[in-house]
Amino acid sequence: MFNNISKIAISTGGGDAPGLNAVIRSVTLAARNRGWDVVGIRDGFNGLMFPDEYPHGGLVDLSREAVRGISHLGGTIIGSTNKGNPTAYPTEQEDGSFVEVDRSEELIGRFHDAGIDALITVGGDGSLTIGNHLFQNGLRVIGVPKTIDNDLDKTTATFGFDTAVDFATECIDRLFVTATSHGRIIVVEVMGRYAGWIALHSGMAAGAHGILIPEIPYDLEPIAATIRQREERGAKFSIVVVAEGAVPIDGELSTKGQTIGQAVQLGGIGTKVAQRLEALTGKESRCVVLGHLLRGGPPTSLDRLLGLRFGAAAVRALEIGHNGVMVALDPPNVTYVPLVGATQRMKTVPLDGDTMTTARDLGINFGDQMP
Ligand code: F6P
């Protein structure tokens, strides 16, 4: 027994990201090789919050067999959710309204009842904030950062991003072909929430002509001018990549509504951009929304490796007595940063960074300058 640990739990919360199963395998093997028991909590924290609604009290025994051959699989074998934050649980009142109730004490009690000595919580800003709250209320917690959006500040990289960019690039490559055949504009909407990383990286890799990101409020006149200029040079087609969180200079974020207890759902900007560009240029336009396709599918080797490194580092953190920290990539090493600071600031695209400068050198239009 290291540091009074004989049994740990792992939970995966928020939107799934390729590489989660690699983390689960790595945590399981690294912990079992230290003689610890490992369980997975079903669907974020729901397994422990609502044990009667699940087989085996909402816990999955993570044996060596259970994690055999899963690193290359997308998704998470223990399930995930982005609903029902246990520290601010939406609870219906008699008058039908909802208030948020902190149920962390009840949840921590369930960890103790199940004989779980520590939690490894794998997630984005939501799950890491919950993890920090549980840590501050007495639970031993290590965080592992996850998001395809690449918007977590205290780590150089999160697993899932590379896979999302890779797949988006492949899709844009394919759209290039059909856009060329038909001489059309194709607008590709990608995920990323309030950060433009996926749009910028996939758009650049695939050779897009316009990229719209949340960091730069956009005007479509410069994009239309770029398309016309291409036309004059004989290029009858154009590709514009739009991040779901991109906002027009004189407009609003495009959303699809909000369910109680969940973050607002973004989406719809691609169609608006395509329609407006068609009106501005007179060219036939189409919109393709890649959406959740970016989250499924097998992780790239880079994301698998990062997941494996993060998982084992989380177990080592517990072994050496860390608590309330998040594992983070600080190349070439994996280090530990306080959980409390991990979600305070969102990592957005630096507009004076080398990648943006390169994009501008290539003539990619961001909707803020005439070509
Ligand atoms: O944060 C990851 C992410 O995929 C975002 O890019 C996107 O806005 C959101 O999750 C969508 O989540 P949901 O699963 O609720 O549709």
Side-chain angles (χ1 to χ4, degrees):
M1 187 184 279
F2 298 90
N3 265 314
N4 295 321
I5 292 177
S6 61
K7 183 176 181 179
I8 65 168
I10 178 166
S11 85
T12 54
D16 59 351
L20 279 171
N21 282 325
V23 179
I24 294 171
R25 180 162 179 272
S26 181
V27 165
T28 301
L29 295 184
R32 293 213 171 265
N33 288 338
R34 286 165 170 80
W36 305 350
D37 274 344
V38 190
V39 291
I41 305 171
R42 289 259 182 224
D43 301 344
F45 295 105
N46 284 353
L48 271 186
M49 288 283 290
F50 310 106
D52 299 341
E53 294 177 16
Y54 288 89
H56 314 295
L59 297 176
V60 187
D61 179 39
L62 291 176
S63 60
R64 289 176 191 278
E65 295 69 35
V67 300
R68 189 168 289 149
I70 64 167
S71 290
H72 66 292
L73 302 176
T76 159
I77 62 164
I78 57 177
S80 188
T81 180
N82 51 15
K83 284 199 288 267
N85 174 352
T87 69
Y89 197 82
T91 308
E92 193 167 2
Q93 304 298 286
E94 277 179 12
D95 64 0
S97 63
F98 282 82
V99 291
E100 291 179 345
V101 176
D102 183 0
R103 295 178 63 174
S104 46
E105 205 175 302
E106 179 187 344
L107 179 61
I108 291 172
R110 298 255 167 80
F111 276 93
H112 294 150
D113 294 347
I116 298 166
D117 304 307
L119 164 71
I120 294 177
T121 180
V122 191
D125 52 350
S127 310
L128 296 172
T129 304
I130 296 169
N132 184 49
H133 190 89
L134 297 177
F135 155 66
Q136 283 174 342
N137 283 276
L139 193 68
R140 200 168 341 180
V141 180
I142 305 295
V144 174
K146 161 242 67 162
T147 169
I148 66 163
D149 302 336
N150 192 38
D151 59 355
L152 285 171
D153 182 36
K154 298 288 180 193
T155 178
T156 306
T158 50
F159 59 86
F161 174 64
D162 186 62
T163 308
V165 170
D166 218 41
F167 185 68
T169 304
E170 186 192 327
C171 292
I172 302 166
D173 287 346
R174 289 171 184 239
L175 294 168
F176 237 92
V177 176
T178 170
T180 314
S181 305
H182 288 263
R184 285 173 172 157
I185 299 170
I186 295 194
V187 175
V188 191
E189 181 183 311
V190 297
M191 281 187 170
R193 281 208 91 70
Y194 307 111
W197 294 104
I198 297 176
L200 179 65
H201 284 215
S202 61
M204 283 183 70
H209 311 103
I211 301 178
L212 305 177
I213 58 175
E215 293 83 350
I216 305 176
Y218 69 83
D219 177 2
L220 287 181
E221 287 291 351
I223 302 284
T226 296
I227 293 168
R228 283 188 214 104
Q229 195 181 62
R230 286 176 45 71
E231 191 94 6
E232 282 158 20
R233 290 178 186 153
K236 304 289 178 204
F237 73 100
S238 288
I239 299 286
V240 179
V241 179
V242 187
E244 62 180 358
V247 184
I249 209 153
D250 52 358
E252 289 173 356
L253 193 66
S254 283
T255 64
K256 292 184 166 175
Q258 187 166 19
T259 314
I260 290 167
Q262 256 183 307
V264 65
Q265 207 186 333
L266 304 186
I269 191 65
T271 303
K272 292 178 193 168
V273 169
Q275 285 169 348
R276 184 78 189 121
L277 285 178
E278 185 161 311
L280 286 173
T281 63
K283 288 189 66 65
E284 201 176 25
S285 305
R286 295 285 188 270
C287 170
V288 176
V289 180
L290 296 182
H292 294 80
L293 287 168
L294 301 181
R295 295 223 308 241
T300 57
S301 53
L302 195 142
D303 280 339
R304 288 179 211 184
L305 185 61
L306 193 54
L308 294 171
R309 291 177 70 194
F310 278 176
V315 170
R316 290 197 300 274
L318 288 172
E319 182 181 45
I320 58 182
H322 279 318
N323 191 6
V325 298
M326 180 186 88
V327 303
L329 185 67
D330 182 8
N333 298 314
V334 172
T335 55
Y336 304 110
V337 297
L339 251 182
V340 68
T343 57
Q344 268 164 4
R345 194 181 148 270
M346 197 191 306
K347 181 174 71 187
T348 52
V349 173
L351 299 184
D352 56 355
D354 178 72
T355 310
M356 278 297 295
T357 308
T358 304
R360 297 227 191 244
D361 282 342
L362 292 171
I364 297 172
N365 199 298
F366 288 88
D368 61 340
Q369 288 169 18
M370 278 303 196

